[in-house]
Amino acid sequence: MFDLTGKNALITGASGGIGGAIAKALYDAGATVALSGTRVEPLEALAAELGERAHVLPCNLSDKESVEALPKQAAEAMGSVDILVNNAGITRDNLFMRMSDDEWDSVLNVNLTSTFRLCKGVLRGMMKARWGRIVNISSIVGATGNPGQGNYAASKAGMVGMSKSLAYEVATRGITVNCVAPGFIATAMTDKLTDDQKSKIDAQIPAGRMGTPEEIAAAVVYLASQEAGYTTGTTLHVNGGMAML
Amino acid sequence: MSDIADRVKKIVVEHLDVEEDKVTETASFIDDLGADSLDTVELVMAFEEEFGIEIPDDAAETIQTFGDAVKFITEAS
């Protein structure tokens, strides 16, 4: 249903489980993709698996200069950036009373500030093209909060407010800005949980199971599509009913 | 009219879809030519590309009229 042939997409955090699935889904829908991340090897492996419309652009999102260079590198590699997916994120969990400035700053910097910079970096091209899709990967905890994740939850809630503000500004230019907020998704990170921990998590989810990276990717493909042109400033919650917002 | 003014006028006419004779020296992009704030950002982007110059944000804010734009670009290029 959703055909992205001829569109060029930049995906951050493409070396991770969800980012990789997003890149694959966009590629399968016909888009050319620029895969960004810190770890080169998984990016190269993913690019090789996808095919010739995949480019690898390593980037350290905690470094301002690297972040600002990324949209330019992506435009050089692909010709333009029509779709931006800000998926990269880090956690530095700690109880609020123990949280250091460094833990706070690093999470806000990578998750929120780099998203701001990348959005800003792709806007000029999208404004000229009168077409653009920005999808920011937020999180259920941005809406619900989570103990030990004051910094992460703040960064993910911040993305939502930022995306809505930007959506207002650029709506007349054919550019949409939306968020996808995943709930519990089965990735390498959750594989480390014990069966007991997993069953406790599943019990909190009306769907009775964790989501898959492909289910997040499907939401991103929709928001990146031509058909989603009237959907902007929204957050699509993909969480098996864990929080109905 | 100078070559710069002609080129600036062409950009303004095309971008804001206005009649050429409305683009006078004192015509304000927002008050007289129907631009919104995002249009003014786009005009500045277009000027930068046309003339190969950089217009910093604080300077861009001072460019309110067609005359302001011509003056700034003449001085910068």
Side-chain angles (χ1 to χ4, degrees):
Chain A
M1 178 172 181
F2 302 120
D3 182 7
L4 300 179
T5 304
K7 300 297 184 195
N8 299 318
L10 169 61
I11 304 109
T12 67
S15 51
I18 293 176
I22 291 169
K24 187 168 188 308
L26 293 173
Y27 190 93
D28 288 346
T32 297
V33 295
L35 312 170
S36 190
T38 45
R39 291 173 295 144
V40 179
E41 270 178 40
L43 293 175
E44 295 281 3
L46 178 61
E49 182 195 326
L50 293 178
E52 61 183 20
R53 284 180 287 113
H55 305 265
V56 172
L57 299 175
C59 180
N60 176 4
L61 291 183
S62 58
D63 179 59
K64 183 173 184 262
E65 278 73 35
S66 310
V67 174
E68 286 175 346
L70 184 58
K72 294 185 192 110
Q73 292 164 348
E76 274 165 25
M78 302 188 292
S80 66
V81 179
D82 310 303
I83 300 163
L84 169 67
V85 183
N86 285 300
N87 163 73
I90 59 166
T91 56
R92 295 277 296 276
D93 297 356
N94 209 340
L95 287 175
F96 211 97
M97 291 185 72
R98 294 186 190 280
M99 187 168 289
S100 67
D101 281 3
D102 182 54
E103 286 165 338
W104 173 267
D105 288 341
S106 59
V107 168
L108 268 289
N109 189 33
V110 170
N111 296 6
L112 186 58
T113 307
S114 79
T115 298
F116 156 71
R117 293 201 173 110
L118 291 174
C119 287
K120 203 174 156 191
V122 300
L123 277 176
R124 181 180 280 238
M126 289 180 177
M127 298 255 287
K128 286 182 76 174
R130 290 289 188 270
W131 200 94
R133 297 283 183 266
I134 296 175
V135 184
N136 294 325
I137 307 302
S138 179
S139 166
I140 185 175
V141 308
T144 63
N146 199 26
Q149 292 198 308
N151 49 1
Y152 184 76
S155 73
K156 294 299 182 179
M159 280 175 124
V160 172
M162 188 192 76
S163 302
K164 288 178 180 176
S165 304
L166 177 55
Y168 262 111
E169 291 186 22
V170 297
T172 55
R173 302 303 195 269
I175 304 168
T176 69
V177 189
N178 292 287
C179 291
V180 172
F184 270 105
I185 305 300
T187 60
M189 201 165 73
T190 55
D191 284 347
K192 289 177 194 152
L193 299 171
T194 64
D195 284 346
D196 186 42
Q197 285 172 317
K198 280 185 198 166
S199 63
K200 276 186 184 150
I201 289 169
D202 290 349
Q204 299 170 41
I205 305 170
R209 64 170 178 86
M210 289 191 199
T212 66
E214 289 73 24
E215 286 168 325
I216 302 305
V220 175
V221 170
Y222 163 65
L223 292 172
S225 71
Q226 182 65 34
E227 287 82 351
Y230 203 56
T231 302
T232 194
T234 194
T235 300
L236 194 44
H237 291 274
V238 184
N239 59 31
M242 192 173 177
M244 301 188 191
L245 302 159
Chain B
M1 194 178 273
S2 70
D3 168 57
I4 286 177
D6 281 343
R7 285 155 73 192
V8 171
K9 183 173 278 190
K10 186 161 178 282
I11 290 170
V12 173
V13 166
E14 274 176 18
H15 191 86
L16 299 180
D17 197 19
V18 290
E19 300 290 331
E20 205 174 313
D21 55 12
K22 291 240 174 79
V23 186
T24 60
E25 183 78 14
T26 54
S28 156
F29 295 126
I30 290 177
D31 296 331
D32 302 317
L33 302 175
D36 64 19
S37 55
L38 203 53
D39 286 319
T40 63
V41 174
E42 287 189 300
L43 281 174
V44 166
M45 278 163 41
F47 297 152
E48 286 179 331
E49 282 182 24
E50 172 72 19
F51 297 97
I53 55 173
E54 285 227 9
I55 305 178
D57 289 345
D58 52 348
E61 282 171 22
T62 67
I63 301 175
Q64 304 283 336
T65 66
F66 173 67
D68 293 340
V70 174
K71 183 164 176 281
F72 183 89
I73 293 162
T74 305
E75 284 166 8
S77 54

